[in-house]
Amino acid sequence: MDDRQQERAALGVHLSVSGQRARILEDGFSEHGYVLEIGGAEQSHVDIADATVVFYEYLRRIANVLDVLAPPHEPITALHLGAGALTLARYVQATRPGSGQVAVDYEPQLMGFVAELLPLPAGTRCELVVSDARAVLPELPRLFGHNPAVTDGVFRGIDAVILDIFTGMDAPAHLATADYYAELRELLSGRGVLVVNVGDDAGLPFFQQQARAMLDTFEHVWCLCDSSMLTGEHEGNVVLIGTARELDEDAADALFARGPHPAEVLGTEELWDFLEYLSGI
């Protein structure tokens, strides 16, 4: 950024829905890193020189899922529900050029502010949409109309749906339901995954609700987290992956190897065991 852009980024923009202010600030520890701050809390991190750098722990775990979803460099289709600083949209473009993407956020001012000051990598095919994360679903075949999700006018489904909106029990009620997960499942391609970031308090009460809703909806649900989260004693983020695919040894090993460490990778049965443990503490 030049000096004028940095001044505008630091001044920020008022978000009309939440009433909070969004700002973009230097991260303070790297040459090309910036942090999106909303309401005084850090929300996203972007390295504008290298989009493969994913600094936040839970976002790195989601990026790992995108890595094992398809062969390296093969384009995918991705839907981002909760756009933030478009960190993962940048990552998909950097690792899988030519991918078709849609990013949705309910704050009218946010994505334009981010895209202006932290432009997406050259060649990125990502439609930026202001909408509610559930209300937008009927529009997706049209929004994905000019990329690989649609072939000969037929909607073939989305390879990765990333839901990154939840902050514990304050999550929007109409999004934290098995019915909504079922609607998202219907949008997936044959190899598709629904990836849900769940931020929660100690005891993980909201995570338990969402994991059970996912298990009611998908044949298989994987779980990725820092191993310390398995005690149930800490607040933090846990990533759930709903899919038709069993977590085989190769995928589990690949996800574990990518970290960040200490890492835990649970398959469906292990997730059930974790939920049983949490219900007893």
Side-chain angles (χ1 to χ4, degrees):
M1 292 187 199
D2 60 28
D3 291 343
R4 182 189 61 81
Q5 290 172 319
Q6 288 197 1
E7 182 178 352
R8 168 157 163 66
L11 178 62
V13 62
H14 176 78
L15 303 179
S16 58
V17 177
S18 67
Q20 297 179 319
R21 179 161 295 275
R23 303 196 302 160
I24 295 173
L25 306 172
E26 293 181 340
D27 64 14
F29 57 83
S30 68
E31 186 176 353
H32 305 290
Y34 290 88
V35 171
L36 172 65
E37 177 189 277
I38 297 179
E42 292 187 3
Q43 202 271 351
S44 302
H45 179 273
V46 170
D47 187 313
I48 59 172
D50 185 356
T52 66
V53 174
V54 180
F55 179 72
Y56 286 176
E57 170 263 334
Y58 82 89
L59 286 176
R60 181 66 255 180
R61 298 189 199 282
I62 296 175
N64 296 342
V65 175
L66 300 176
D67 287 344
V68 305
L69 179 60
H73 312 298
E74 180 178 307
I76 63 171
T77 51
L79 170 64
H80 307 268
L81 299 170
L86 301 166
T87 302
L88 291 176
R90 301 167 197 273
Y91 183 83
V92 169
Q93 171 61 21
T95 57
R96 300 181 178 278
S99 295
Q101 304 186 72
V102 173
V104 180
D105 202 281
Y106 74 111
E107 289 283 6
Q109 296 81 14
L110 183 60
M111 285 188 291
F113 176 65
V114 168
E116 174 193 348
L117 296 170
L118 300 174
L120 291 169
T124 303
R125 298 164 60 193
C126 186
E127 187 83 14
L128 305 182
V129 180
V130 177
S131 182
D132 172 81
R134 194 165 190 173
V136 75
L137 301 190
E139 299 298 317
L140 291 174
R142 176 184 62 81
L143 293 170
F144 276 102
H146 299 291
N147 62 57
V150 176
T151 305
D152 297 328
V154 178
F155 183 63
R156 303 295 183 185
I158 304 167
D159 295 321
V161 176
I162 301 158
L163 181 62
D164 187 11
I165 293 173
F166 295 154
T167 52
M169 292 298 188
D170 292 333
H174 68 298
L175 304 181
T177 69
D179 288 345
Y180 181 51
Y181 292 146
E183 292 176 21
L184 294 175
R185 182 194 60 198
E186 293 304 310
L187 296 170
L188 297 178
S189 65
R191 66 181 180 184
V193 294
L194 169 61
V195 184
V196 182
N197 171 49
V198 182
D200 204 1
D201 298 324
L204 304 180
F206 182 69
F207 164 78
Q208 293 181 61
Q209 293 179 6
Q210 299 316 300
R212 293 181 187 279
M214 292 276 282
L215 287 161
D216 284 344
T217 306
F218 287 89
E219 183 179 0
H220 298 286
V221 182
W222 315 342
C223 177
L224 308 180
C225 62
D226 186 294
S227 59
S228 67
M229 296 300 295
L230 296 187
T231 67
E233 298 174 355
H234 308 289
E235 64 179 21
N237 294 82
V238 184
V239 177
L240 293 166
I241 301 99
T243 175
R245 171 186 171 187
E246 184 177 2
L247 180 63
D248 58 42
E249 185 174 350
D250 288 344
D253 288 348
L255 290 169
F256 181 81
R258 285 167 167 81
H261 295 289
E264 198 66 53
V265 180
L266 307 180
T268 307
E269 293 304 317
E270 294 166 309
L271 176 57
W272 276 116
D273 291 343
F274 181 36
L275 290 173
E276 183 177 358
Y277 164 77
L278 289 174
S279 68
I281 62 175

